Amino acid sequence: GLFVWHLKKTGIRQVPCQFVHLCHVANDRLITFQYFNFLKRMYVTQYNKDLSQRAKPKSDSIVSPFRELQQLDQEKKVIHKIRPVPPVHQPLSETSSRNELREVKSAAETADSVTPVRAESKDDRQWKEIKLRLDDLPGILARLSKIKLTALVVSTASAGFAMAPVPFDLTCFLLASLGTGLASCAANSINQFFEVPFDSNMNRTKNRPLVRGQISPLLAVCFAASCGVPGIALLTLGVNPLTGALGAFNIFLYTCCYTPMKRMSIANTWVGAVVGAIPPVMGWTAATGSLDAGALLLGGILYSWQFPHFNALSWGLREDYSRGGYCMMSVTHPALCRRVALRHCLALIGLSTVAPVLDITTWTFPIISLPINLYISYLGFRFYRDADRSSSRKLFFCSLWHLPMLLLVMFTCKKSFLEKEDKGDLLGGNHGRAMEIRLP
Amino acid sequence: PPAHSRNDWIGPPDKHSNLRPVIFYVPPEESPLERRLREARQEAQACDQRFWARHNRAFRQEKEEFIYSRLKAKGLEMRDETGQKATLNAEEMADFYKDFLSKNFRKHMQYNRDWYKRNFTITFLMGQVALVRALRWLRWKKKNV
């Protein structure tokens, strides 16, 4: 059974009405559905990239989930109306007052959202006392650690864990997820700590906690340390040293390589793609304890995915990047930007075909994933040829649902490790096993 | 900010630099370390303000000039019949963005280095001040117990 997502996107500029239909077979798939819902909402309401980002989850600002989603300027004042089947998360509206929204239910009506938006912009014009209020702290820390991006990073790590051909170990899974999440929070916080004046000048990022003075830089660094150290320790001691090393390396790559490189050379995009690719590899090594071909393949898929996602997103942010002094392909080498995006869309097709060769999935995977991979490649081609706003947006939005869908299909086509002995009912066996390993 | 406040106050983003100005509270019993921190922060604020205000102003100005020259080349005026300001689309502006970025690259490199240095120094000073205050508070607590 596959999820059937029915997305009706009406008008990108105005209030997009996301109407999500879900047909799911098993109840326990609801969890993954909620993830997607969350994903969609996150993408629709808040676009900030740098995680866009190119942000990598380990807080890479590369593509979401790994990257920070970049906020498109036009989206600034857009209130997004989302009606998910089970309301899980509150919608996040860039413009609405965050505190107010915390209590608001998922479907925020446009009318309601307008007043909070005005309230916040008025709020913004006033002088505020720099005083840390304890009840604001969770919200502030959530924004500092880019909690939504972190959640997406953790979900890709979980995907890596789930795809590993070993019996599912719940404790290991939880420890790995927690460790990855903490490491991601730490990396994201340091990234924001490094980028305060630049963030203030870009529309997408100007409402971050450090920019607004809601938290002091010292506290941000302490928070990062108090997340990063336990996170890596948890991974090294509670899971295995390899995963811990990968986690530490990823934090380093994101904060000390990617973040400064953003302002120095366009090569930052490639570094960022690696940052985004590491979490699933970590998930895999957490489960198996070793770096095998499967881990690298999953990492490769995520690496390739970063490019259409980020390049399409960055296409609309060229003015802010130029003024802010960020060296991005979309500004300095636009043709390369589009070429690379297309190249990696096609690479995804290739990588999906390699999966059964490495015994990670059955041969149904490349067949079932072909339509979505072809579709994103088609959009990538359109972006390459047309090089305009609408094609870049189409490609970006496609990448948002393409990745979860691809991972889901991969999971359902996962080759059971017992299958090698029991050549019985292949698909049936897969499903059976897939059900057992469902996340609680 | 009110006169009786014992905290720093942060204001709305500046029109030119987009940075939020901070007014620092000077406590009467400010220690030399605390004064060093405050002065470092004030100086950093001034530096950043100067840089970004100038940079953004240059950006706006050069953008206007670029639009003007391109429109002139196309034979159009800055404002059309309805009085609306004529703009170029994103693809045409892309040349300007690329140019502006490469022109200001060295300036940004210099600023980056300075910013990282200032950021680390200030955060380190904040750490020192916080530590001193914590020790002082602990000593006071021990005395009062």
Side-chain angles (χ1 to χ4, degrees), chain A residues 15-309:
Chain A
V15 182
C17 205
Q18 297 265 332
F19 186 67
V20 175
H21 254 153
L22 172 70
C23 305
H24 61 277
V25 180
N27 244 349
D28 29 17
R29 298 220 186 208
L30 204 55
I31 307 290
T32 1
F33 163 68
Q34 285 170 354
Y35 259 146
F36 294 163
N37 219 10
F38 173 59
L39 249 175
K40 290 282 176 283
R41 224 188 302 216
M42 193 178 108
Y43 290 145
V44 175
T45 52
Q46 176 214 55
Y47 284 116
N48 281 317
K49 176 211 159 82
D50 196 23
L51 140 309
S52 117
Q53 212 83 45
R54 232 320 221 190
K56 290 251 190 160
K58 257 342 183 156
S59 220
D60 188 1
S61 50
I62 297 192
V63 185
S64 55
F66 307 99
R67 290 194 186 198
E68 282 178 29
L69 294 175
Q70 299 204 340
Q71 267 169 352
L72 303 167
D73 305 355
Q74 291 74 2
E75 244 86 45
K76 245 197 323 175
K77 296 284 180 254
V78 175
I79 315 296
H80 301 271
K81 215 179 353 185
I82 300 177
R83 279 191 308 174
V85 174
V88 179
H89 302 267
Q90 294 96 340
L92 290 157
S93 195
E94 230 303 303
T95 49
S96 315
S97 163
R98 273 167 260 276
N99 286 331
E100 295 171 37
L101 272 183
R102 204 130 293 155
E103 278 74 285
V104 172
K105 286 293 269 181
S106 46
E109 291 306 317
T110 321
D112 292 343
S113 317
V114 171
T115 6
V117 173
R118 282 207 214 104
E120 190 184 71
S121 31
K122 239 195 274 198
D123 215 29
D124 228 25
R125 306 254 168 280
Q126 299 173 342
W127 281 80
K128 293 233 188 63
E129 196 174 2
I130 297 183
K131 190 169 136 137
L132 193 63
R133 288 179 181 80
L134 243 49
D135 40 336
D136 286 345
L137 196 60
I140 293 174
L141 291 180
R143 260 170 291 142
L144 185 68
S145 61
K146 296 188 215 163
I147 196 86
K148 289 195 260 27
L149 177 60
T150 299
L152 292 167
V153 173
V154 171
S155 58
T156 43
S158 320
F161 193 95
M163 287 306 299
V166 289
F168 183 76
D169 179 353
L170 183 63
T171 355
C172 189
F173 172 77
L174 290 175
L175 288 177
S177 303
L178 184 62
T180 308
L182 286 173
S184 171
C185 287
N188 283 328
S189 308
I190 297 290
N191 169 262
Q192 291 199 20
F193 167 70
F194 281 163
E195 304 248 284
V196 179
F198 315 117
D199 284 345
S200 335
N201 272 283
M202 292 188 45
N203 278 315
R204 168 171 87 83
T205 51
K206 63 188 182 185
N207 285 312
R208 289 193 173 160
L210 279 170
V211 172
R212 293 173 85 187
Q214 291 171 317
I215 190 173
S216 81
L218 179 68
L219 218 58
V221 174
C222 290
F223 173 69
S226 61
C227 280
V229 172
I232 298 299
L234 192 64
L235 289 175
T236 317
L237 303 170
V239 180
N240 59 55
L242 177 61
T243 313
L246 281 172
F249 175 66
N250 215 16
I251 296 182
F252 165 74
L253 205 60
Y254 182 62
T255 56
C256 303
C257 297
Y258 174 69
T259 302
M261 265 180 94
K262 278 197 303 194
R263 308 184 62 80
M264 296 202 283
S265 136
I266 59 169
N268 69 74
T269 310
W270 281 266
V271 173
V274 174
V275 177
I278 289 186
V281 176
M282 282 172 64
W284 183 287
T285 58
T288 64
S290 65
L291 260 179
D292 356 83
L296 296 176
L297 178 77
L298 261 178
I301 288 182
L302 247 69
Y303 175 83
S304 282
W305 178 82
Q306 306 285 345
F307 291 97
H309 178 85

Side-chain angles (χ1 to χ4, degrees), chain A residues 124-131 193-194 196-198 200-201 211-213 217-218 221 259-260 263-264 315 318-319 321-327 331-332 387-388, chain B residues 5 7-12 17-23 52 55-56 59 63 90-91 94 97-98 100-101 105 108-109 111-112 115-116 119-120 123 126-127 130:
Chain A
D124 228 25
R125 306 254 168 280
Q126 299 173 342
W127 281 80
K128 293 233 188 63
E129 196 174 2
I130 297 183
K131 190 169 136 137
F193 167 70
F194 281 163
V196 179
F198 315 117
S200 335
N201 272 283
V211 172
R212 293 173 85 187
L218 179 68
V221 174
T259 302
R263 308 184 62 80
M264 296 202 283
W315 197 256
R318 285 179 284 179
E319 171 163 3
Y321 281 149
S322 168
R323 188 166 56 86
Y326 284 108
C327 298
V331 180
T332 57
D388 62 359
Chain B
S5 165
N7 286 312
D8 301 336
W9 283 69
I10 191 166
S17 68
N18 295 318
L19 301 173
R20 288 171 182 262
V22 178
I23 294 188
W52 285 105
H55 179 76
N56 290 341
F59 181 80
K63 187 175 172 190
E91 301 321 312
Y97 296 143
K98 174 173 178 182
F100 187 80
L101 187 67
F105 183 73
H108 279 298
M109 285 292 105
Y111 176 75
N112 287 347
W115 153 252
Y116 271 79
N119 198 21
F120 278 123
T123 309
M126 279 179 155

